Amino acid sequence: QEQLSSSLKGIEDCLVEEYKNSASYKETKSELERIVQGQDYSTRPKSRTITYSTSFFHQFKWVLKRTFKNLMLNPQTLFAE
């Protein structure tokens, strides 16, 4: 079992080294560096900014519609709530 584990680890290390030496790795790395270059991450706020494709009121309207519809289909839920 131990010999198999060390053998697999050796194969894994070999594959990692081969990938690091490949053209695909170098192209991907340079593309990522190009994308990141020029972007100053230190000035960004610590919290994430979440943007929605629809406004809060639009979403709220649909939640109210759905809730009203559910209450009309099952009035016992209104009493239970």
Side-chain angles (χ1 to χ4, degrees), residues 49-71:
T49 303
I50 300 173
T51 57
Y52 296 101
S53 59
T54 58
S55 70
F56 170 79
F57 292 106
H58 183 77
Q59 293 179 36
F60 188 66
K61 176 183 82 170
W62 285 104
V63 170
L64 283 177
K65 271 182 140 175
R66 183 178 63 216
T67 303
F68 184 72
K69 185 178 177 182
N70 287 339
L71 287 174

Side-chain angles (χ1 to χ4, degrees), residues 26-80:
K26 292 172 185 170
E27 289 173 13
T28 303
K29 186 175 179 181
S30 65
E31 182 70 18
L32 288 172
E33 287 173 352
R34 185 186 65 77
I35 291 170
V36 172
Q37 185 181 20
Q39 295 182 4
D40 185 16
Y41 291 101
S42 62
T43 60
R44 290 188 179 186
K46 297 292 181 194
S47 63
R48 295 185 317 165
T49 303
I50 300 173
T51 57
Y52 296 101
S53 59
T54 58
S55 70
F56 170 79
F57 292 106
H58 183 77
Q59 293 179 36
F60 188 66
K61 176 183 82 170
W62 285 104
V63 170
L64 283 177
K65 271 182 140 175
R66 183 178 63 216
T67 303
F68 184 72
K69 185 178 177 182
N70 287 339
L71 287 174
M72 290 297 111
L73 292 174
N74 191 0
Q76 292 174 346
T77 56
L78 179 62
F79 181 72

